[in-house]
């Protein structure tokens, strides 16, 4: 939902590739280096012990280094294609209902388009990942299920999320992998059939109800779980509200969704304002302030978000 540039590279793929070769480079450099007066090394130093992580019963399949490199090269090729047609800095828009991904020039006309299907969604704040075919709001726009991939995970970091998305893209026959960032979620899409001769030069965004509901329900789950400190909840609500206001002014500015998006955005910002955040002055004076939401405030926020969810479900 948030505005982003189409030319962004999938940084985690580089990170993953760099991480995969880190030990090899470090070992070689140690073997070659010696201090004055030392005897030549007869054998390279032993590599450091890998980081120990807690075992998982069903770890998400990780893309190996060669697969990460392959998809990083595809991402670079996509950027070159866009640059060759002057579209590397154009905004993008997605309509998953119609399976359409477009780049828009400064005049709002379509400069390039591709077919889009959903792979998975990832929430960095909760480390949870859900495959699109298991998500009720993304299922209709999903790729076919990949049996070897777990449908849901709740202990995934950002690099692993990229790995799962790459594995899903590879299995589904995608040509390109694209990440769409919303206020508190990432959506990984499989793109194909890139064209610089769009069927239609204009783009009318579809209903925002699906993505709005995803953000509202994610915020509601975070509040109900009690796992996020008050300041994080406040930031979450404020960011989602700001994003909806931006969408009303930009992507949906000439549609019937403007007033509804703006009203919901303002409501979320007001809810964020109800979450108290201690000032430096109050902390210095020793004022007591809980790091977590009080039960009464959590209940009030949950009820308010529930009303918004009910309203938007009418349009889903």
């Amino acid at each position: 939902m948030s505005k982003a540039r189409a030319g962004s590279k999938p940084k985690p793929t580089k990170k993953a590739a760099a991480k995969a070769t880190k030990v090899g480079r470090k070992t070689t450099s140690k073997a070659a280096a010696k201090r004055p007066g030392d005897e030549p090394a007869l054998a390279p130093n032993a590599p450091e012990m890998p980081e120990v992580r807690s075992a998982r019963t069903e770890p998400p399949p990780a893309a190996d280094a060669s697969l990460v490199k392959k998809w990083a090269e595809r991402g670079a090729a996509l950027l070159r294609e866009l640059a060759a047609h002057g579209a590397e800095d154009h905004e993008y828009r997605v309509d998953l209902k119609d399976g359409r991904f477009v780049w828009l020039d400064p005049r709002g006309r379509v400069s390039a388009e591709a077919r889009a299907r959903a792979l998975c969604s990832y929430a960095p704040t909760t480390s949870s990942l859900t495959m699109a075919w298991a998500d009720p709001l993304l299922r209709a726009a999903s790729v076919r299920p990949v049996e070897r991939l777990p449908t849901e995970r709740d202990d995934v970091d950002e690099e692993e999320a990229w790995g799962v998305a790459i594995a899903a893209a590879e299995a589904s026959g995608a040509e390109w992998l694209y990440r769409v960032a919303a206020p508190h979620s990432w959506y990984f899409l499989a793109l194909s059939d890139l064209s610089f001769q769009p069927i239609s030069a204009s783009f009318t965004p579809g209903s925002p109800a699906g993505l709005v509901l995803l953000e509202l329900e994610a915020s509601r789950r975070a509040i109900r779980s009690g796992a996020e400190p008050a300041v994080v909840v406040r930031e979450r609500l404020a960011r989602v509200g700001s994003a909806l206001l931006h969408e009303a002014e930009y992507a949906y500015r000439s549609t019937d969704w403007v007033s509804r998006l703006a009203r919901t955005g303002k409501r979320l910002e007001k809810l964020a304002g109800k979450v108290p955040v201690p000032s430096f002055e109050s902390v210095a004076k020793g004022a007591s302030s809980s790091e977590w939401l009080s039960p009464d405030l959590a209940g009030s926020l949950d009820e308010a978000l529930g009303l918004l969810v009910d309203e938007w479900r009418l349009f889903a």
Side-chain angles (χ1 to χ4, degrees), residues 289-304:
S289 177
S290 175
E291 181 183 356
W292 308 96
L293 295 176
S294 67
D296 289 343
L297 179 55
S300 175
L301 294 175
D302 180 55
E303 182 179 359

Side-chain angles (χ1 to χ4, degrees), residues 135-202:
D135 189 322
L137 294 176
L138 295 177
R139 187 178 296 133
S142 169
V143 298
R144 290 186 177 183
V146 181
E147 293 184 0
R148 66 187 181 87
L149 294 176
T151 56
E152 295 183 359
R153 295 294 303 181
D154 59 3
D155 55 355
V156 180
D157 62 26
E158 294 182 4
E159 184 175 327
E160 289 169 332
W162 273 100
V164 173
I166 287 173
E170 179 75 13
S172 63
E175 294 181 48
W176 322 100
L177 171 61
Y178 215 97
R179 186 200 69 171
V180 175
H184 286 277
S185 299
W186 293 357
Y187 299 96
F188 290 96
L189 305 180
L191 302 185
S192 59
D193 303 328
L194 177 67
S195 172
F196 295 95
Q197 296 179 340
I199 298 175
S200 174
S202 62

Side-chain angles (χ1 to χ4, degrees), residues 23-89:
V23 173
R25 292 200 308 269
K26 191 169 185 179
T27 300
T28 304
S29 62
K30 283 187 176 181
K34 60 178 182 177
R35 294 188 299 271
D38 285 352
E39 293 297 326
L42 300 179
N45 293 335
E48 295 180 356
M49 290 295 292
E51 178 184 359
V52 177
R53 296 186 179 183
S54 57
R56 292 173 175 155
T57 56
E58 295 180 1
D64 58 28
S66 61
L67 196 58
V68 169
K69 181 179 179 181
K70 171 184 175 179
W71 282 92
E73 290 173 349
R74 285 194 180 186
L78 175 59
L79 293 178
R80 289 194 297 270
E81 285 282 340
L82 293 171
H85 292 81
E88 71 275 19
D89 292 326

